[in-house]
Amino acid sequence: MDKKSDLYVYFYYQGLSLLNDGGIFCFINSNSWLDVGYGAGLQEFLLKNMRPIYIIDNIAKRSFKQADVNTVIVLIQKPVNKLEDYVIKFVAFKKPFEEAISLDVLKEIEIANKPIFDHLLFRFYPKTKKELLEEGVEYLEETELGLKHSVESLPYIGNKWDGKYLRAPEIYFKILEKGKDKLVKLGDIADVRFGIKTGANEFFYLKPVGMNVKEVVEIAERDSKALIRVKNGAGWEGEIEAEFLKLVIKSLKNIKSPFVELENIEFLVLIAKEEDYSTSMFLKS
């Protein structure tokens, strides 16, 4: 766990340590730990040591008007004995709390045991401890769903609770269900890593002048030393050899289909190695 994860676990532990066995505690805090990497430690701590009952969000209105971050309400019980399994209820209200919450609505949520997406006031998704652990652990190569190792003994790396269970549309879960035997993790078939971190996007991200990216690619295929006129966001405009200009997707918003078409790419990125400084007309200048 990193320092942020340790801090989250510390504050939760301090509050929960004051509870009597069977007692219930309510936290209202940032929702960031539900999705980001440093929240994995808190997810693991709650699943293995406590009994989270509800995780409640409001996707229509922030709970605190002046807050800079979105918050969630987390209702947690301190079990008398360690529980092998239990259900956590993820609830996202579609209208402000003052409009959505009533005794009847709370009763509906209390008795619900299947996902609800089409309710006017809220969406509901139940998940068991076992399911959340299975989705959040890292399996060893010889391990399949804990057949050779207990799921609680495997390293927990986290899961996107907010993005999946509080916000993902119904179609997401239908695709997972119907394609469960055909889908594989992206990491199993591709090298997944962070994109290029330039440190100065306005300088390194470029747009061709007088042509589009597809035309740049065609020129580069014929002559890698050809000079391409480009401009950047810092106000510079000039010519750079085609071999140092690489295709880059700056935002997925511009991608309209599962396949990346050259017509949908707007930007190039300047990439050059140290040894290129002696050969590039642009870099020498």
Side-chain angles (χ1 to χ4, degrees):
M1 292 189 291
D2 60 21
K3 291 182 179 179
K4 284 187 177 181
S5 178
D6 290 341
L7 190 63
Y8 267 105
V9 173
Y10 173 78
F11 282 117
Y12 268 72
Y13 177 78
Q14 290 300 311
L16 294 167
S17 64
L18 301 174
L19 282 179
N20 292 325
D21 290 344
I24 293 177
F25 200 100
C26 180
F27 274 99
I28 302 177
N29 68 333
S30 165
N31 66 349
S32 60
W33 65 272
L34 293 172
D35 273 356
V36 297
Y38 64 74
L42 180 54
Q43 292 179 10
E44 181 178 19
F45 170 75
L46 293 178
L47 289 174
K48 294 182 178 180
N49 299 283
M50 297 293 158
R51 184 198 170 196
I53 303 172
Y54 286 101
I55 296 179
I56 301 171
D57 193 8
N58 194 303
I59 56 181
K61 182 180 179 182
R62 287 186 174 184
S63 300
F64 299 98
K65 187 176 181 180
Q66 292 78 20
D68 293 329
V69 297
N70 289 327
T71 56
V72 287
I73 301 170
V74 187
L75 201 63
I76 307 164
Q77 184 177 47
K78 183 178 181 181
V80 177
N81 299 303
K82 184 175 180 179
L83 300 173
E84 292 299 320
D85 206 7
Y86 53 81
V87 174
I88 301 174
K89 296 185 175 184
F90 292 85
V91 184
F93 283 94
K94 300 177 182 179
K95 292 184 179 294
F97 288 130
E98 60 269 24
E99 298 178 28
I101 293 180
S102 67
L103 185 59
D104 290 337
V105 168
L106 294 178
K107 285 182 178 179
E108 283 186 74
I109 294 171
E110 178 64 27
I111 63 175
N113 56 19
K114 294 181 180 180
I116 299 174
F117 294 98
D118 57 356
H119 198 286
L120 180 64
L121 299 176
F122 66 86
R123 57 171 282 164
F124 171 88
Y125 205 92
K127 291 291 289 186
T128 66
K129 167 191 172 181
K130 182 180 178 182
E131 290 171 339
L132 290 174
L133 281 175
E134 288 177 349
E135 292 175 1
V137 298
E138 183 176 33
Y139 291 101
L140 307 177
E141 288 186 4
E142 72 277 11
T143 303
E144 294 183 6
L145 293 181
L147 294 179
K148 295 186 179 180
H149 296 272
S150 165
V151 69
E152 293 207 23
S153 70
L154 295 171
Y156 187 86
I157 58 176
N159 190 10
K160 294 187 178 296
W161 290 3
D162 183 48
K164 287 183 179 179
Y165 309 120
L166 291 172
R167 296 178 184 273
E170 184 178 6
I171 187 63
Y172 169 82
F173 299 99
K174 288 184 176 179
I175 291 173
L176 287 183
E177 178 61 28
K178 292 185 178 181
K180 59 184 177 182
D181 297 327
K182 300 177 182 178
L183 299 175
V184 296
K185 291 183 178 179
L186 182 59
D188 294 339
I189 58 174
D191 183 14
V192 181
R193 60 183 185 274
F194 283 107
I196 298 170
K197 296 181 180 178
T198 68
N201 288 352
E202 287 190 348
F203 177 85
F204 286 98
Y205 284 133
L206 307 163
K207 277 190 172 184
V209 176
M211 66 182 76
N212 56 41
V213 168
K214 184 177 181 180
E215 291 172 311
V216 172
V217 172
E218 292 171 349
I219 293 173
E221 289 176 347
R222 295 195 301 268
D223 180 8
S224 64
K225 299 294 183 181
L227 294 176
I228 306 296
R229 191 158 194 85
V230 292
K231 61 181 179 180
N232 65 19
W236 175 87
E237 182 176 322
E239 295 180 328
I240 301 178
E241 292 95 330
E243 63 182 312
F244 304 124
L245 299 174
K246 308 300 180 183
L247 301 176
V248 65
I249 299 172
K250 191 175 180 182
S251 173
L252 291 177
K253 293 179 181 178
N254 298 327
I255 305 303
K256 309 298 183 183
S257 70
F259 300 98
V260 179
E261 305 289 347
L262 284 176
E263 289 79 3
N264 294 327
I265 298 179
E266 296 183 60
F267 290 90
L268 301 163
V269 63
L270 171 62
I271 298 180
K273 299 177 182 178
E274 187 174 350
E275 55 265 29
D276 297 325
Y277 282 76
S278 62
T279 60
S280 169
M281 294 174 56
F282 165 74
L283 294 173
K284 283 191 292 186
S285 62

